[in-house]
Amino acid sequence: MSDKTIETDKITENEAKPKKKMKTWKKVVLIIFAVILLAIAAIGIWQRNNIKALYYFMTVGSSQDITNRIENTKKEREEIISNYISGKVRDFTTEEEALIISGELAVEEATEIIRSDYEKSVEETAQKSETEAEVSEFEQYIADNVIQLYSYKAYYLGQLGQIESAAIKDYSALPENERTLVSKQKIVDSYIGRVNGLLTECDAKVNAIMSDLEKRLKAENMDTELVNKIGSSYEEEKALKKAYYISLLNE
């Protein structure tokens, strides 16, 4: 083998090392985050949503299968809401959620994107029907509340992202010989209370919006199917998100 070939092999090997290292660290990140959610599920196993998450983990399939299921849930929710308003209030894309979690997309910016897209969709709907872009007070009320729900979603995704970053920082600060499963568990234990608190806080805010929306629908002599469907969709996506992170442990 020539010196040139040996040198080329070394260069290729050195280039591969950073990629391998990045892949390893990415797996560590996902495992830490997944273990946090697993611990929460273990503590609150009696909670229906946690049981549902574990069921999805065991039956849906790979993390990609679960991601596809989450996207379908989002689309179904959007279609349900569109039956009550002019235009369309969309959810965050997978890419936008990743940016929110990493801190690259602020909550205010993310919420403004959703609101701006909604307003554009109202205009487009009006153009197609050749009418003026008018939205009733009731339709605007529903749209505003749905956008507020997505704003909460962005906030809590960002909070979980901060916890994830803190857990990684704690783990990376350990000497290499101390980076064990026991150490990971200790780090996870230190964040369980905070994560569980965020989930409880988020549930309370979502339930408050659902309660107000139900009262308004009844005042308008309308059925409350919208509230039921948004509520069940929220629980469905939450369970699927938990199942997604748990599934990463097997990949």
Side-chain angles (χ1 to χ4, degrees):
M1 184 180 294
S2 67
D3 292 341
K4 187 175 182 180
T5 302
I6 293 172
E7 185 178 349
T8 301
D9 290 343
K10 285 183 177 180
I11 291 173
T12 303
E13 184 181 348
N14 289 335
E15 287 177 345
K17 284 181 180 178
K19 293 181 180 178
K20 186 175 181 181
K21 188 174 181 181
M22 284 180 65
K23 188 175 181 181
T24 301
W25 270 106
K26 185 177 181 182
K27 191 169 184 180
V28 169
V29 170
L30 295 174
I31 286 175
I32 289 175
F33 200 46
V35 172
I36 288 175
L37 290 176
L38 263 176
I40 291 172
I43 291 173
I45 193 66
W46 59 87
Q47 295 179 8
R48 184 167 56 184
N49 191 263
N50 285 329
I51 295 173
K52 196 173 184 179
L54 291 174
Y55 171 76
Y56 284 146
F57 162 63
M58 292 185 289
T59 61
V60 174
S62 67
S63 59
Q64 185 57 54
D65 293 330
I66 296 173
T67 297
N68 293 338
R69 183 83 172 258
I70 291 172
E71 290 306 307
N72 289 336
T73 300
K74 290 180 181 180
K75 289 177 183 177
E76 290 171 3
R77 181 169 58 240
E78 288 171 4
E79 289 174 2
I80 292 166
I81 296 168
S82 66
N83 292 328
Y84 291 80
I85 62 175
S86 299
K88 175 183 177 183
V89 180
R90 71 170 181 86
D91 200 341
F92 299 112
T93 64
T94 302
E95 293 74 20
E96 287 168 342
E97 288 186 6
L99 290 173
I100 293 168
I101 290 171
S102 68
E104 298 174 69
L105 182 61
V107 175
E108 295 77 12
E109 294 173 322
T111 305
E112 184 53 37
I113 289 173
I114 298 300
R115 183 173 293 281
S116 177
D117 283 356
Y118 161 65
E119 292 172 352
K120 287 177 183 177
S121 72
V122 171
E123 293 286 346
E124 290 171 359
T125 300
Q127 289 175 4
K128 288 178 182 178
S129 59
E130 297 182 349
T131 58
E132 292 186 13
E134 293 184 0
V135 178
S136 70
E137 186 272 334
F138 179 66
E139 287 180 321
Q140 192 62 55
Y141 168 81
I142 293 177
D144 287 342
N145 275 277
V146 173
I147 291 172
Q148 183 60 59
L149 285 173
Y150 291 149
S151 179
Y152 287 152
K153 180 179 183 178
Y155 172 77
Y156 288 104
L157 282 175
Q159 290 297 302
L160 289 174
Q162 289 180 25
I163 292 174
E164 180 183 332
S165 296
I168 295 166
K169 187 176 180 180
D170 291 347
Y171 184 78
S172 61
L174 295 173
E176 192 168 349
N177 63 338
E178 292 182 20
R179 295 175 189 174
T180 63
L181 286 174
V182 174
S183 296
K184 285 180 187 177
Q185 188 60 56
K186 287 181 179 179
I187 292 172
V188 167
D189 290 344
S190 68
Y191 289 102
I192 287 176
R194 187 175 168 191
V195 174
N196 210 18
L198 287 172
L199 291 174
T200 301
E201 188 179 293
C202 183
D203 285 346
K205 289 185 176 181
V206 169
N207 289 337
I209 286 183
M210 292 296 95
S211 178
D212 287 344
L213 184 55
E214 183 175 19
K215 290 177 182 177
R216 180 63 188 270
L217 287 169
K218 288 181 177 179
E220 298 285 340
N221 293 318
M222 298 179 69
D223 65 58
T224 58
E225 183 184 18
L226 176 63
V227 175
N228 298 331
K229 287 186 175 180
I230 291 179
S232 62
S233 176
Y234 167 72
E235 290 296 328
E236 177 83 356
E237 186 178 352
K238 187 169 65 172
L240 285 166
K241 288 278 189 186
K242 292 177 183 178
Y244 169 78
Y245 284 109
I246 294 171
S247 71
L248 295 175
L249 289 170
N250 286 341
E251 298 183 1

